[in-house]
Amino acid sequence: GEGAPGRTPSMRFPEGRAVYDVLEGKQLKTSKAGASLNDAGAGLICVLPYRVSRIVADVPEIVQSGHRLHYSMQIKTFDALPGDHWVHVKLLDEAGRSIRYYESTIDCAGGVGEGYIPLALNEKPGQYTLVIRDVMTGVMTSKRIEIV
């Protein structure tokens, strides 16, 4: 049948699987659901044999401008061990705006990944936020960082 505007007709998914609307970044609650559509009329569904519960990130609290801001992350799951994921990483300034040239996408083989941001020598000192978001499920975590 026809779904509500902006949603696809409902689809049936296998029981015991976690189904995510990738564009919305949220888990669909039933085995029969519709995904959101973008402006081009396309939707994207991810079906996993496990649920993603959270992302655990290891990030320093303080980092000096001109140095690398190293980070690592581990995707935690229910029901089974995680497979390969991609996470999007961005650094937000004090106003909550993403600093575009620091954004990256990291491969997390087996749910584990790491990377770094090469901070500029003249990076403005202050409080920043590192945001790590799983591309498939929308699960995210954030960590406050002081750049000195």
Short mmCIF file of all heavy atoms in Angstrom, two decimals, residues 46-79:
data_model
loop_
_atom_site.label_atom_id
_atom_site.label_comp_id
_atom_site.label_asym_id
_atom_site.label_seq_id
_atom_site.Cartn_x
_atom_site.Cartn_y
_atom_site.Cartn_z
N CYS A 46 19.45 -0.53 5.90
CA CYS A 46 20.54 -1.42 6.30
C CYS A 46 19.95 -2.50 7.21
O CYS A 46 19.25 -2.18 8.17
CB CYS A 46 21.60 -0.60 7.05
SG CYS A 46 22.91 -1.60 7.75
N VAL A 47 20.22 -3.76 6.89
CA VAL A 47 19.73 -4.88 7.70
C VAL A 47 20.94 -5.59 8.28
O VAL A 47 21.82 -6.05 7.54
CB VAL A 47 18.88 -5.86 6.85
CG1 VAL A 47 18.38 -7.00 7.71
CG2 VAL A 47 17.72 -5.13 6.18
N LEU A 48 21.01 -5.64 9.62
CA LEU A 48 22.14 -6.25 10.31
C LEU A 48 21.68 -7.41 11.19
O LEU A 48 20.55 -7.40 11.67
CB LEU A 48 22.83 -5.21 11.20
CG LEU A 48 23.43 -3.99 10.51
CD1 LEU A 48 23.90 -2.97 11.54
CD2 LEU A 48 24.59 -4.42 9.62
N PRO A 49 22.57 -8.38 11.44
CA PRO A 49 22.21 -9.49 12.34
C PRO A 49 22.40 -9.13 13.81
O PRO A 49 22.38 -10.00 14.67
CB PRO A 49 23.19 -10.60 11.91
CG PRO A 49 24.38 -9.86 11.41
CD PRO A 49 23.85 -8.60 10.78
N TYR A 50 22.61 -7.86 14.12
CA TYR A 50 22.81 -7.39 15.48
C TYR A 50 22.33 -5.94 15.58
O TYR A 50 22.16 -5.26 14.57
CB TYR A 50 24.28 -7.47 15.89
CG TYR A 50 25.24 -6.84 14.91
CD1 TYR A 50 25.46 -5.46 14.90
CD2 TYR A 50 25.90 -7.62 13.95
CE1 TYR A 50 26.32 -4.88 13.97
CE2 TYR A 50 26.76 -7.03 13.03
CZ TYR A 50 26.96 -5.67 13.06
OH TYR A 50 27.81 -5.09 12.14
N ARG A 51 22.12 -5.49 16.81
CA ARG A 51 21.78 -4.09 17.06
C ARG A 51 23.03 -3.37 17.56
O ARG A 51 23.78 -3.91 18.36
CB ARG A 51 20.69 -4.00 18.12
CG ARG A 51 19.35 -4.57 17.67
CD ARG A 51 18.37 -4.65 18.83
NE ARG A 51 18.84 -5.67 19.78
CZ ARG A 51 18.67 -5.61 21.11
NH1 ARG A 51 18.07 -4.58 21.65
NH2 ARG A 51 19.11 -6.58 21.88
N VAL A 52 23.23 -2.17 17.09
CA VAL A 52 24.33 -1.34 17.57
C VAL A 52 23.85 -0.59 18.81
O VAL A 52 22.84 0.10 18.76
CB VAL A 52 24.81 -0.36 16.49
CG1 VAL A 52 25.84 0.61 17.05
CG2 VAL A 52 25.38 -1.13 15.30
N SER A 53 24.55 -0.78 19.93
CA SER A 53 24.12 -0.14 21.17
C SER A 53 24.76 1.22 21.39
O SER A 53 24.12 2.17 21.81
CB SER A 53 24.41 -1.05 22.37
OG SER A 53 25.81 -1.30 22.48
N ARG A 54 26.06 1.32 21.09
CA ARG A 54 26.75 2.59 21.30
C ARG A 54 28.13 2.53 20.65
O ARG A 54 28.57 1.48 20.21
CB ARG A 54 26.88 2.89 22.79
CG ARG A 54 27.79 1.98 23.56
CD ARG A 54 27.67 2.22 25.07
NE ARG A 54 28.75 1.67 25.83
CZ ARG A 54 28.94 0.40 26.12
NH1 ARG A 54 28.09 -0.50 25.67
NH2 ARG A 54 29.97 -0.01 26.84
N ILE A 55 28.79 3.67 20.63
CA ILE A 55 30.17 3.76 20.17
C ILE A 55 30.99 4.23 21.36
O ILE A 55 30.68 5.24 21.98
CB ILE A 55 30.33 4.76 19.01
CG1 ILE A 55 29.48 4.32 17.82
CG2 ILE A 55 31.80 4.88 18.60
CD1 ILE A 55 29.44 5.35 16.69
N VAL A 56 32.02 3.46 21.68
CA VAL A 56 32.95 3.85 22.74
C VAL A 56 34.15 4.50 22.07
O VAL A 56 34.79 3.89 21.20
CB VAL A 56 33.38 2.63 23.57
CG1 VAL A 56 34.42 3.02 24.60
CG2 VAL A 56 32.17 1.99 24.24
N ALA A 57 34.46 5.74 22.47
CA ALA A 57 35.56 6.49 21.85
C ALA A 57 36.63 6.80 22.87
O ALA A 57 36.34 7.13 24.02
CB ALA A 57 35.03 7.77 21.23
N ASP A 58 37.87 6.68 22.44
CA ASP A 58 39.03 7.06 23.26
C ASP A 58 39.63 8.31 22.60
O ASP A 58 40.16 8.24 21.49
CB ASP A 58 40.04 5.92 23.32
CG ASP A 58 41.20 6.22 24.25
OD1 ASP A 58 41.08 7.14 25.09
OD2 ASP A 58 42.24 5.55 24.13
N VAL A 59 39.51 9.44 23.32
CA VAL A 59 39.92 10.73 22.79
C VAL A 59 40.61 11.49 23.91
O VAL A 59 40.12 11.49 25.04
CB VAL A 59 38.68 11.52 22.30
CG1 VAL A 59 39.06 12.89 21.75
CG2 VAL A 59 37.90 10.73 21.26
N PRO A 60 41.72 12.17 23.64
CA PRO A 60 42.35 12.95 24.71
C PRO A 60 41.48 14.14 25.11
O PRO A 60 40.72 14.67 24.30
CB PRO A 60 43.67 13.42 24.08
CG PRO A 60 43.41 13.41 22.62
CD PRO A 60 42.44 12.29 22.37
N GLU A 61 41.58 14.54 26.37
CA GLU A 61 40.80 15.69 26.84
C GLU A 61 41.43 17.00 26.40
O GLU A 61 40.73 17.99 26.19
CB GLU A 61 40.68 15.66 28.36
CG GLU A 61 39.84 14.51 28.87
CD GLU A 61 39.75 14.48 30.39
OE1 GLU A 61 40.16 15.46 31.05
OE2 GLU A 61 39.24 13.48 30.91
N ILE A 62 42.76 17.01 26.26
CA ILE A 62 43.48 18.23 25.88
C ILE A 62 44.46 17.87 24.77
O ILE A 62 45.14 16.84 24.83
CB ILE A 62 44.26 18.81 27.08
CG1 ILE A 62 43.29 19.17 28.20
CG2 ILE A 62 45.07 20.03 26.66
CD1 ILE A 62 43.98 19.60 29.49
N VAL A 63 44.54 18.73 23.75
CA VAL A 63 45.50 18.54 22.67
C VAL A 63 46.03 19.93 22.27
O VAL A 63 45.30 20.92 22.33
CB VAL A 63 44.88 17.78 21.47
CG1 VAL A 63 43.80 18.58 20.80
CG2 VAL A 63 45.93 17.35 20.47
N GLN A 64 47.28 19.96 21.88
CA GLN A 64 47.91 21.22 21.52
C GLN A 64 47.73 21.51 20.03
O GLN A 64 47.84 20.59 19.21
CB GLN A 64 49.40 21.17 21.86
CG GLN A 64 50.11 22.49 21.72
CD GLN A 64 51.54 22.44 22.24
OE1 GLN A 64 51.93 21.49 22.92
NE2 GLN A 64 52.31 23.44 21.91
N SER A 65 47.46 22.77 19.70
CA SER A 65 47.36 23.15 18.29
C SER A 65 48.68 22.80 17.60
O SER A 65 49.74 22.83 18.21
CB SER A 65 47.03 24.63 18.15
OG SER A 65 48.03 25.42 18.74
N GLY A 66 48.60 22.43 16.33
CA GLY A 66 49.78 22.03 15.59
C GLY A 66 50.14 20.57 15.75
O GLY A 66 51.05 20.07 15.09
N HIS A 67 49.44 19.86 16.62
CA HIS A 67 49.67 18.43 16.84
C HIS A 67 48.50 17.62 16.29
O HIS A 67 47.47 18.16 15.92
CB HIS A 67 49.85 18.13 18.33
CG HIS A 67 51.15 18.62 18.88
ND1 HIS A 67 51.34 19.91 19.32
CD2 HIS A 67 52.34 17.98 19.03
CE1 HIS A 67 52.58 20.06 19.74
NE2 HIS A 67 53.22 18.91 19.57
N ARG A 68 48.68 16.33 16.27
CA ARG A 68 47.61 15.44 15.82
C ARG A 68 46.65 15.14 16.98
O ARG A 68 47.08 14.82 18.08
CB ARG A 68 48.18 14.11 15.32
CG ARG A 68 48.93 14.25 14.02
CD ARG A 68 49.50 12.93 13.58
NE ARG A 68 50.11 13.04 12.27
CZ ARG A 68 50.70 12.04 11.64
NH1 ARG A 68 50.76 10.85 12.20
NH2 ARG A 68 51.23 12.23 10.46
N LEU A 69 45.36 15.23 16.68
CA LEU A 69 44.32 14.81 17.62
C LEU A 69 43.98 13.37 17.28
O LEU A 69 43.27 13.09 16.31
CB LEU A 69 43.09 15.72 17.48
CG LEU A 69 41.79 15.23 18.11
CD1 LEU A 69 41.96 14.95 19.59
CD2 LEU A 69 40.69 16.24 17.88
N HIS A 70 44.58 12.43 18.02
CA HIS A 70 44.34 11.00 17.78
C HIS A 70 43.05 10.57 18.45
O HIS A 70 42.72 11.04 19.54
CB HIS A 70 45.51 10.17 18.34
CG HIS A 70 46.76 10.30 17.55
ND1 HIS A 70 47.05 9.51 16.46
CD2 HIS A 70 47.82 11.16 17.67
CE1 HIS A 70 48.21 9.85 15.95
NE2 HIS A 70 48.70 10.86 16.67
N TYR A 71 42.35 9.64 17.82
CA TYR A 71 41.12 9.07 18.40
C TYR A 71 41.01 7.62 17.95
O TYR A 71 41.55 7.22 16.93
CB TYR A 71 39.88 9.87 17.98
CG TYR A 71 39.73 10.03 16.49
CD1 TYR A 71 39.15 9.03 15.71
CD2 TYR A 71 40.17 11.19 15.85
CE1 TYR A 71 39.03 9.17 14.34
CE2 TYR A 71 40.05 11.34 14.48
CZ TYR A 71 39.47 10.33 13.73
OH TYR A 71 39.35 10.47 12.38
N SER A 72 40.31 6.85 18.76
CA SER A 72 39.97 5.47 18.38
C SER A 72 38.54 5.21 18.83
O SER A 72 38.03 5.88 19.72
CB SER A 72 40.94 4.46 19.00
OG SER A 72 40.86 4.49 20.40
N MET A 73 37.91 4.25 18.17
CA MET A 73 36.53 3.94 18.53
C MET A 73 36.25 2.45 18.38
O MET A 73 36.94 1.75 17.64
CB MET A 73 35.54 4.76 17.70
CG MET A 73 35.32 4.32 16.28
SD MET A 73 36.53 4.84 15.07
CE MET A 73 36.54 6.58 15.20
N GLN A 74 35.25 2.01 19.14
CA GLN A 74 34.81 0.62 19.08
C GLN A 74 33.28 0.62 19.08
O GLN A 74 32.66 1.26 19.94
CB GLN A 74 35.35 -0.15 20.26
CG GLN A 74 35.06 -1.63 20.21
CD GLN A 74 35.77 -2.39 21.32
OE1 GLN A 74 36.20 -1.81 22.31
NE2 GLN A 74 35.86 -3.69 21.17
N ILE A 75 32.70 -0.06 18.10
CA ILE A 75 31.25 -0.17 18.01
C ILE A 75 30.80 -1.34 18.87
O ILE A 75 31.28 -2.46 18.70
CB ILE A 75 30.81 -0.33 16.55
CG1 ILE A 75 31.17 0.95 15.79
CG2 ILE A 75 29.33 -0.65 16.45
CD1 ILE A 75 30.91 0.92 14.33
N LYS A 76 29.90 -1.05 19.81
CA LYS A 76 29.37 -2.07 20.73
C LYS A 76 28.00 -2.51 20.23
O LYS A 76 27.19 -1.70 19.78
CB LYS A 76 29.25 -1.51 22.15
CG LYS A 76 30.59 -1.09 22.75
CD LYS A 76 31.46 -2.29 23.01
CE LYS A 76 32.72 -1.92 23.76
NZ LYS A 76 33.54 -3.07 24.07
N THR A 77 27.75 -3.83 20.33
CA THR A 77 26.52 -4.38 19.77
C THR A 77 25.83 -5.33 20.74
O THR A 77 26.44 -5.81 21.71
CB THR A 77 26.83 -5.16 18.48
OG1 THR A 77 27.80 -6.17 18.77
CG2 THR A 77 27.36 -4.25 17.40
N PHE A 78 24.56 -5.59 20.46
CA PHE A 78 23.79 -6.65 21.11
C PHE A 78 23.62 -7.78 20.11
O PHE A 78 23.60 -7.55 18.91
CB PHE A 78 22.39 -6.16 21.51
CG PHE A 78 22.37 -5.07 22.53
CD1 PHE A 78 21.89 -3.81 22.21
CD2 PHE A 78 22.81 -5.29 23.83
CE1 PHE A 78 21.84 -2.80 23.15
CE2 PHE A 78 22.77 -4.29 24.78
CZ PHE A 78 22.29 -3.04 24.43
N ASP A 79 23.45 -8.99 20.58
CA ASP A 79 23.05 -10.16 19.78
C ASP A 79 24.18 -10.86 19.02
O ASP A 79 24.11 -12.05 18.80
CB ASP A 79 21.92 -9.84 18.78
CG ASP A 79 20.77 -9.08 19.42
OD1 ASP A 79 20.38 -9.45 20.54
OD2 ASP A 79 20.28 -8.13 18.81
#
